[in-house]
Amino acid sequence: MNFNPQISNLPIYEAGKPIELVIREFGIEPQNVVKLASNENPLGCSPLVLEAMKESIKSANLYPDDSYYELKESLANLYNVNSKNIVIGSGSDQVIEFIMHAKLNPNTAMLSAGVTFAMYEIYAKHIGAKIYKTKSSQHSLDEIKELYNAHKKEIKVVFLCLPNNPLGECLDASDVYEFISSIDSDTLVVIDGAYMEFAKFKDSRKTINPSDIIKLSNSIYLGTFSKAYGLGGMRVGYGIANEQIITAISKLRAPFNITTPSLAAAIAAVKDQDFIVKTLQNNFKEMSIYEQFAKDNDIEFIPSYTNFITFIFDNSKDSTQICDKLLRQGIILRNLRSYGLNAIRITIGTNEQNIKVLEALKKEI
Ligand SMILES: *Cc1c(COP(=O)(O)O)cnc(C)c1O
């Protein structure tokens, strides 16, 4: 059977390896597995969320409220925007997919940093759109602008991952706002704020406010419950933009695209901001242990505004070998070879997990 040509060349997203794999392949006890590969919250999620989910499954027979009224109201309140400025996705991944379908076709292009979230490229390829990436792996607004100016007519979507996964760097908000104002009104600038809670906590100059984004005619902010809120398994994300953009991309949303427990979880999660503060405090306290380790062992790292840190190795070391060796000991980290880098991305865990990782790493480098 023949399939659309863009399908045959499509790369497959390499997800973080699941705990089950390590248990099956290496016979490691589940409680001894340390999974710090997918930027999940090591503290779990808020206890209020677990309560709300338990309650919600009693109405498993009913479809959820498809308007997502209560969740949109909470997010509107949190970000000081209107419910009409919000679209809900099954993870912000799904909102990225909506955006691609709304703006791209095979005669158009998307633009991003050299090394950034792989799903941008994959969704663009679903559509057969062209992809431009900067030579620099990290975000350089000068390079992004240069590429944009050279291919202005084609480029309909520009992605800024702020802060950037998998490298961890983050642009200053003032530079981002200036950049958006230099982009044509028919090109959508997507601010992927999957880790914005972390960046904002570390340095207020990185804060992008959705309430500023909604005033612009060519930008959308994306947020997720998968990272700081600790709800990766529940698949809830959102887009915030001016009403015209939200109305258009909402047409691509199938009804009931998140489940009843997911909806209950997200609503409860917004209410427990103390849990977020705890998460952020643990994250940056523990991150400093990794930074010190890197300095002590001459490993290059990128100062991170996220819940992970990326170690970049020189040619004397091989990230694939190191990851494989750690995997056999039940430690799952993210090798960045598939991004063309001799580097490893480590999600910041609990103190106990981090000590285990660094002890194992010390032996293998
Ligand atoms: C995790 C992540 C997302 C989205 O995750 P969902 O679980 O689909 O909400 C989006 N962008 C980046 C950069 C991410 O790291």
Side-chain angles (χ1 to χ4, degrees), residues 115-298:
V115 173
T116 189
F117 191 47
M119 291 311 297
Y120 308 151
E121 189 172 342
I122 292 174
Y123 285 128
K125 284 185 173 165
H126 285 185
I127 293 164
K130 198 164 172 181
I131 293 147
Y132 291 106
K133 289 193 210 174
T134 60
K135 284 207 176 68
S136 295
S137 46
Q138 299 184 33
H139 285 70
S140 151
L141 282 178
D142 287 342
E143 274 182 58
I144 292 173
K145 238 182 249 179
E146 204 178 297
L147 265 179
Y148 174 72
N149 286 332
H151 308 280
K152 224 175 198 171
K153 288 215 183 84
E154 282 169 90
I155 295 172
K156 292 295 167 190
V157 178
V158 179
F159 275 96
L160 299 178
C161 191
L162 304 174
N164 190 21
N165 178 14
L167 298 180
E169 91 281 5
C170 193
L171 296 169
D172 279 357
S174 56
D175 296 335
V176 172
Y177 292 127
E178 192 191 304
F179 170 78
I180 300 172
S181 70
S182 75
I183 299 299
D184 191 84
S185 62
D186 194 43
T187 296
L188 187 58
V189 180
V190 183
I191 309 291
D192 186 343
Y195 305 91
M196 185 53 77
E197 292 88 354
F198 297 93
K200 188 174 164 178
F201 182 80
K202 182 172 175 179
D203 182 347
S204 62
R205 284 172 304 183
K206 310 295 180 188
T207 312
I208 301 279
N209 288 310
S211 56
D212 292 325
I213 297 299
I214 63 166
K215 292 179 202 142
L216 309 174
S217 63
N218 64 340
S219 187
I220 184 166
Y221 177 93
L222 306 183
T224 179
F225 285 93
S226 300
K227 308 293 161 55
Y229 288 90
L231 293 173
M234 297 319 294
R235 316 302 306 124
V236 190
Y238 50 90
I240 305 180
N242 78 39
E243 217 180 308
Q244 196 216 355
I245 296 172
I246 294 299
T247 305
I249 69 172
S250 295
K251 289 183 182 168
L252 293 159
R253 185 184 69 82
F256 316 119
N257 60 323
I258 66 170
T259 67
T260 296
S262 304
L263 185 58
I267 293 166
V270 175
K271 289 186 187 138
D272 193 354
Q273 291 296 320
D274 288 348
F275 174 78
I276 300 301
V277 175
K278 229 185 280 170
T279 292
L280 299 171
Q281 283 169 342
N282 171 70
N283 184 70
F284 287 106
K285 182 166 162 253
E286 292 298 317
M287 187 167 322
S288 63
I289 305 176
Y290 283 96
E291 290 171 343
Q292 194 56 48
F293 177 87
K295 285 175 195 158
D296 293 345
N297 292 280
D298 279 325

Side-chain angles (χ1 to χ4, degrees), residues 286 289-290 350-360:
E286 292 298 317
I289 305 176
Y290 283 96
T350 60
N351 184 256
E352 190 190 357
Q353 290 176 319
N354 298 330
I355 287 170
K356 251 187 169 171
V357 168
L358 290 176
E359 275 174 0

